[in-house]
Amino acid sequence: MTSLQKPEYDVEALSAVLPSAFREAMSRLAAAVNVVTTDGPAGRAGFTASAVCSVTDEPPTLLVCINRRASAYPSFADNPALCVNVLSADHQQVSNTFGGKTPMAERFAQADWTTRETGAPVLANALAHFECRIGQRVAVGTHDVLFCEIVAMSTCDESQCLLYFDRQYHQLPRLAPGG
Ligand SMILES: Cc1cc2nc3c(=O)[nH]c(=O)nc-3n(C[C@H](O)[C@H](O)[C@H](O)COP(=O)(O)O)c2cc1C
């Protein structure tokens, strides 16, 4: 289609149904589940996030998408650092608490935390931690995309990860090396 041709569909009707259709299609995209945390001058906060992915390994960078309406948002908007905690299968309740309408103090009371390089809370027994300095922040629709440069990370030997697929939690075991 060139820019002069009229589209064969009703753009307004399409945009009216797109968000729900998009969410339905996205429910088929299995994703790892993370609790993203921050602490600093704007306070301690955390939320459950599946919209986390690698951007580049030079320099090691990931991105996190956060809804600007989330109660955690003001802390992420003003603090300089965050930690992505990759959940293991044992963390389903932690995911529910950080993904629901639970007050911040109650969320953190659900699990054990430490602090390391950045001061952002690090979850005990998470499959991996990525402590990051938040760089660029790009507003897209309802969300901010946070581009995060890794400053420290670790992994642990938990045997199963937590996945979110078809609006339900699933567990995926690690295979033996080469298996
Ligand atoms: C499995 C799962 C994945 C989620 N992924 C994201 C995400 O990537 N970005 C986001 O902003 N919210 C995501 N959420 C929603 C937030 O965790 C949730 O809105 C927030 O913690 C609760 O909102 P509140 O703090 O305003 O009560 C997810 C929730 C669940 C259960």
Side-chain angles (χ1 to χ4, degrees), residues 37-165:
T37 56
T38 187
D39 203 352
R44 186 174 67 159
F47 70 108
T48 299
S50 54
V52 171
C53 82
S54 167
V55 176
T56 172
D57 63 359
E58 288 183 23
T61 305
L62 55 73
L63 66 77
V64 174
C65 301
I66 180 169
N67 192 318
R68 285 190 299 281
R69 286 206 211 130
S71 62
Y73 178 74
S75 298
F76 284 90
D78 288 334
N79 283 341
L82 61 73
C83 181
V84 173
N85 298 278
V86 183
L87 300 189
S88 76
D90 294 338
H91 288 131
Q92 188 170 319
Q93 187 51 46
V94 176
S95 173
N96 283 333
T97 307
F98 278 79
K101 302 284 170 195
T102 310
M104 267 326 144
E106 275 179 48
R107 295 185 192 192
F108 283 96
Q110 287 277 315
D112 295 324
W113 307 90
T114 56
T115 52
R116 296 184 186 167
E117 301 285 324
T118 62
V122 174
L123 174 64
N125 299 323
L127 279 173
H129 310 108
F130 299 92
E131 284 196 80
C132 311
R133 224 176 301 287
I134 303 171
Q136 283 184 68
R137 301 163 187 267
V138 180
V140 181
T142 53
H143 283 59
D144 276 7
V145 184
L146 311 179
F147 290 90
C148 304
E149 197 170 315
I150 317 298
V151 296
M153 61 194 166
S154 60
T155 57
C156 91
D157 286 333
E158 286 296 315
S159 59
Q160 301 208 50
C161 78
L162 190 63
L163 288 181
Y164 201 64
F165 170 62

